[in-house]
Amino acid sequence: QVQLVESGGGLVQAGGSVRLSCAASGRTFSNYHMGWFRQAPGKEREFVSAISRRGGSSRYAESVKGRFTISRDNAKNTVYLQMDSLKPDDTAVYYCAADSANTVIIRTTEALYDYWGQGTQVTVSS
């Protein structure tokens, strides 16, 4: 079992930056690929970014590529999402998730992630 707690959300103007953090507790953090997903009002939850167990590989949704950066610090059991050049369309609840599968592939499918945080709201004003 892994417990995940996100933090760092809030209200930001378009063009601004926010860094989200997700602190993990429970089992060995470095055993999990970690992902960020988001859900905007009235929309389904969607993949944003994910990072491999050791942090050597990452993937991004096309909509955030070049603006968002995922990273992790296994010594601190924390994964981060640095969000720059924010747009109103980035407004959503952001969730971190852990993938326990023994695979080298960083997966983007929500249903394949085993553990989820409670989410943190990010609101980007125009």
Side-chain angles (χ1 to χ4, degrees), residues 2 4 22-35 51-57 70-80 97-99:
V2 174
L4 303 172
C22 173
S25 60
R27 295 191 175 180
T28 305
F29 180 65
S30 59
N31 286 348
Y32 300 88
H33 295 318
M34 296 298 297
I51 190 167
S52 60
R53 297 182 188 88
R54 299 288 185 266
S57 300
I70 191 170
S71 62
R72 66 189 295 164
D73 185 338
N74 286 348
K76 295 183 178 180
N77 291 348
T78 302
V79 61
Y80 305 96
D99 180 0

Side-chain angles (χ1 to χ4, degrees), residues 27-74:
R27 295 191 175 180
T28 305
F29 180 65
S30 59
N31 286 348
Y32 300 88
H33 295 318
M34 296 298 297
W36 286 96
F37 293 76
R38 67 186 182 186
Q39 187 168 22
K43 296 186 178 181
E44 294 186 350
R45 192 154 54 183
E46 64 176 1
F47 170 77
V48 175
S49 182
I51 190 167
S52 60
R53 297 182 188 88
R54 299 288 185 266
S57 300
S58 59
R59 296 182 68 176
Y60 296 91
E62 286 298 322
S63 60
V64 307
K65 200 171 290 185
R67 300 188 298 120
F68 290 10
T69 304
I70 191 170
S71 62
R72 66 189 295 164
D73 185 338
N74 286 348

